[in-house]
Amino acid sequence: MHSTAMKNLHSYLLPILALASLVVKIRGSASLHTVLTGPELAYLGSRVTFRCLASDSPPPFTYELMRDGGVLISTGRDDYGDVPAFFPLKVNAASEGSYHCKAAAGGRTGVSKSIHLSVVTPASNTRVISEPFPPVAYEGSHVVLSCNVTRGSHLQYSWFFNRKELTHSASPFTHITGNELMLENVTPEHAGNYYCMAWSQVHDIRRFSSSLEVLLTVKVYVSKPRISFSIFKEGDSYRGNVTCWSTRGSPPVNFSLLLDDREEGSVTATETLIAWFPVALVPGTDMGVARCQVKTDVQELMSEPVTLEVVPVGGEVRVEVEYLYRFDSQLAAAAALDCVISRGTFPHISWLFNDTVLPSHEGTQTQPILSNYVLASKSQTLVLVKLGPEESGYYRCRVQNSYDESGPWVESAAVLVRVSEVFMTTLEVITIAFCCFLLLTLIVGAAFTYKIFDNEQGVCLRVREKSINYKYIYVECSYLHISFTAQAHISTSHAGPDVLTMSAPTSQSGDRQDDSHDVQNQAREITV
């Protein structure tokens, strides 16, 4: 009996013991919870430290720092528990890769998650490369500047123009992409000094390398050249000078003078956009057709032709006067006098007032006889800015060749200038009279229309003498939109004026007669 009970007890306990043993084995074979901490970025040549800690097991702990491929980097041991293992490491080019920590304690092991370490190489030997090279471009073209380094990784780039940092929103024609600065449709405002900075950052440490400045030159296309000429007298002979110039462009440019399509000279302007060429000139002689040609490395332009002929002053000279009036006055307030010359290429004009020469410029030492005048258009126009008794008098102009101060003068006839009152022209009088007549017609018409609609008895518009026998006439009348012809009898029974007695009218309106306005039985007297 007892043995049977023991046997049954063993049959119950054995499964329990087996299960407990299995739980202990499973628990004993569980992995250790292992954590590895360390940097993900590190500068080349710097020192970093990895930290490994395992738990869920009594000490001692052993640690191994492994790299990709199972390469053992270092080992560590913790005999007390809860003390991490530290693995210092000097970073070199081969240090980049994934690291993990393997821990062991009490017959159990554990492996941490991997940390990938990237080695950051600081930038060095930074320089700017331009396209085109050398950095010279014409307005409207594109320029690309590249920030290149000899070595470096994980780099970012900053650009500077005339020592000020450029941003992405600096200009719609300025784009920063990677290590390139693109300038589109460049203008002279883009010209200046550029440099770049290549830099990298690990945590709060930034290392950078700056380039030298590069001068960008933006050239302006040269404009179409212009041409002019002048003449001078030297003793008994004359010499001429042709001037070629452009209003815009970037030097250096080459100017050439062509006379009758033959090149007479060439000059390279390095600082300005103007050149001079001596030529032979004789007054009154056609010396040929001259043109200026300008050349650059990308352009070749020609000026308009000009005939090298100096026409001496001569022919008729006269003065034309134009009076100027204020809007609130009929008296002339000012006057403009023009000296009209028949011919002359280089005239020198002088004005006289009451046979006294007017100074042509300020600074004269004599007391001026007129103070309120201005000379314009190379003295061809004399403007009397104030017209009063002091300015009233005789004016005339005289002309001589500007290149010959000893030459004769050609004078105009004297013209009387005085304060005058403006009078209305015939056209103005006709216009005012027509406006008055039109206004009067409108007033009379309005009154007549009002009289028609205001008179309820009607009105006779006209008298038509169809038959006159000294007793009857016919009168055409309108009464409330009904037209009729009435026969009027001339009564001579009155001592006063003749009286017309209207007999029964003849309707011209068809059936539109109204009973309430019966005109058949009406007779009226009209005094004529």
Side-chain angles (χ1 to χ4, degrees):
M1 185 78 175
H2 179 70
S3 61
T4 302
M6 290 298 294
K7 189 178 291 186
N8 291 336
L9 181 60
H10 288 165
S11 63
Y12 285 111
L13 290 177
L14 286 176
I16 295 175
L17 293 175
L19 181 61
S21 176
L22 181 62
V23 169
V24 170
K25 288 182 179 181
I26 293 175
R27 184 177 179 183
S29 62
S31 299
L32 295 176
H33 179 65
T34 307
V35 177
L36 176 66
T37 58
E40 295 180 349
L41 291 174
Y43 279 118
L44 179 68
S46 64
R47 291 184 175 275
V48 297
T49 300
F50 287 95
R51 177 178 177 272
C52 187
L53 178 64
S55 58
D56 298 337
S57 180
F61 293 91
T62 59
Y63 297 98
E64 294 179 344
L65 180 64
M66 313 287 292
R67 216 180 78 184
D68 294 336
V71 179
L72 178 63
I73 302 300
S74 181
T75 61
R77 179 181 177 85
D78 173 23
D79 294 327
Y80 304 100
D82 295 332
V83 177
F86 295 94
F87 300 100
L89 180 66
K90 185 175 182 179
V91 180
N92 54 39
S95 300
E96 184 164 341
S98 295
Y99 293 81
H100 63 273
C101 178
K102 183 177 181 182
R108 299 164 56 194
T109 61
V111 178
S112 69
K113 293 182 178 180
S114 296
I115 294 178
H116 184 81
L117 175 64
S118 297
V119 177
V120 179
T121 303
S124 62
N125 195 20
T126 305
R127 62 194 183 280
V128 174
I129 304 299
S130 69
E131 177 60 38
F133 182 82
V136 177
Y138 277 89
E139 57 182 349
S141 61
H142 300 319
V143 176
V144 178
L145 302 178
S146 301
C147 189
N148 293 351
V149 297
T150 302
R151 58 182 300 189
S153 65
H154 302 79
L155 298 178
Q156 301 184 58
Y157 302 89
S158 299
W159 287 93
F160 297 83
F161 172 58
N162 292 336
R163 304 294 177 90
K164 292 183 179 180
E165 184 174 1
L166 292 174
T167 61
H168 290 275
S169 59
S171 169
F173 301 107
T174 302
H175 306 284
I176 300 176
T177 304
N179 69 324
E180 291 184 345
L181 172 64
M182 179 176 291
L183 305 176
E184 298 180 348
N185 298 322
V186 294
T187 64
E189 287 72 23
H190 289 101
N193 293 301
Y194 291 82
Y195 74 91
C196 71
M197 179 187 295
W199 55 275
S200 57
Q201 184 169 348
V202 175
H203 304 298
D204 57 346
I205 300 175
R206 175 181 292 191
R207 295 183 180 179
F208 58 87
S209 173
S210 298
S211 70
L212 297 176
E213 288 185 331
V214 171
L215 176 61
L216 174 63
T217 302
V218 178
K219 288 189 174 183
V220 178
Y221 287 108
V222 69
S223 62
K224 183 178 180 178
R226 299 183 181 182
I227 184 172
S228 65
F229 69 95
S230 58
I231 185 173
F232 306 93
K233 185 176 182 180
E234 292 182 342
D236 296 331
S237 61
Y238 300 89
R239 66 180 180 90
N241 185 66
V242 175
T243 303
C244 298
W245 80 97
S246 293
T247 57
R248 67 189 305 267
S250 297
V253 296
N254 180 266
F255 286 102
S256 299
L257 175 64
L258 303 179
L259 186 60
D260 291 335
D261 296 330
R262 299 188 311 273
E263 183 174 320
E264 296 292 327
S266 178
V267 173
T268 299
T270 58
E271 297 182 357
T272 61
L273 297 173
I274 189 170
W276 296 272
F277 300 93
V279 293
L281 288 178
V282 177
T285 304
D286 187 348
M287 305 302 292
V289 177
R291 301 182 72 177
C292 287
Q293 184 183 55
V294 61
K295 291 182 180 180
T296 66
D297 53 348
V298 295
Q299 287 180 279
E300 183 174 335
L301 302 174
M302 195 79 70
S303 72
E304 295 295 329
V306 61
T307 301
L308 297 182
E309 182 180 7
V310 178
V311 179
V313 169
E316 179 189 5
V317 178
R318 69 182 187 276
V319 175
E320 295 181 351
V321 183
E322 180 182 3
Y323 290 98
L324 307 175
Y325 300 89
R326 291 174 54 91
F327 71 94
D328 57 350
S329 175
Q330 293 185 351
L331 295 178
L337 288 73
D338 287 327
C339 187
V340 181
I341 307 170
S342 296
R343 64 176 180 269
T345 306
F346 298 101
H348 171 64
I349 302 174
S350 175
W351 287 88
L352 295 89
F353 172 60
N354 292 335
D355 294 331
T356 302
V357 177
L358 294 176
S360 59
H361 55 82
E362 296 181 359
T364 179
Q365 301 297 324
T366 61
Q367 182 67 25
I369 58 175
L370 284 180
S371 57
N372 298 311
Y373 72 93
V374 175
L375 294 174
S377 301
K378 297 182 179 180
S379 298
Q380 188 168 356
T381 301
L382 172 65
V383 180
L384 302 176
V385 296
K386 177 184 177 183
L387 189 57
E390 180 184 350
E391 289 77 22
S392 298
Y394 289 92
Y395 291 83
R396 57 191 174 94
C397 66
R398 58 179 185 174
V399 186
Q400 71 171 176
N401 294 309
S402 62
Y403 53 83
D404 189 1
E405 295 181 354
S406 61
W409 292 90
V410 181
E411 297 187 358
S412 70
V415 174
L416 177 61
V417 177
R418 61 183 177 181
V419 179
S420 60
E421 184 176 0
V422 61
F423 296 97
M424 290 187 296
T425 63
T426 303
L427 181 60
E428 292 173 334
V429 174
I430 294 175
T431 303
I432 294 175
F434 177 75
C435 292
C436 293
F437 173 75
L438 182 61
L439 179 61
L440 181 61
T441 303
L442 293 175
I443 294 174
V444 174
F448 186 69
T449 303
Y450 174 77
K451 188 66 177 177
I452 291 176
F453 288 100
D454 187 62
N455 188 355
E456 296 182 353
Q457 301 301 323
V459 65
C460 293
L461 298 178
R462 66 182 181 272
V463 176
R464 181 166 56 89
E465 297 183 2
K466 296 180 63 178
S467 174
I468 300 179
N469 53 9
Y470 302 103
K471 290 184 180 182
Y472 299 97
I473 64 173
Y474 292 92
V475 181
E476 291 183 357
C477 299
S478 176
Y479 179 78
L480 295 177
H481 307 290
I482 301 174
S483 299
F484 59 89
T485 302
Q487 177 181 324
H489 177 265
I490 303 177
S491 176
T492 58
S493 59
H494 300 278
D498 294 338
V499 176
L500 300 180
T501 303
M502 299 180 64
S503 62
T506 302
S507 175
Q508 298 178 359
S509 305
D511 298 333
R512 294 180 60 186
Q513 299 182 15
D514 192 351
D515 295 338
S516 61
H517 299 284
D518 189 0
V519 298
Q520 301 288 339
N521 300 319
Q522 292 187 10
R524 64 176 65 185
E525 293 182 352
I526 303 175
T527 302
V528 295

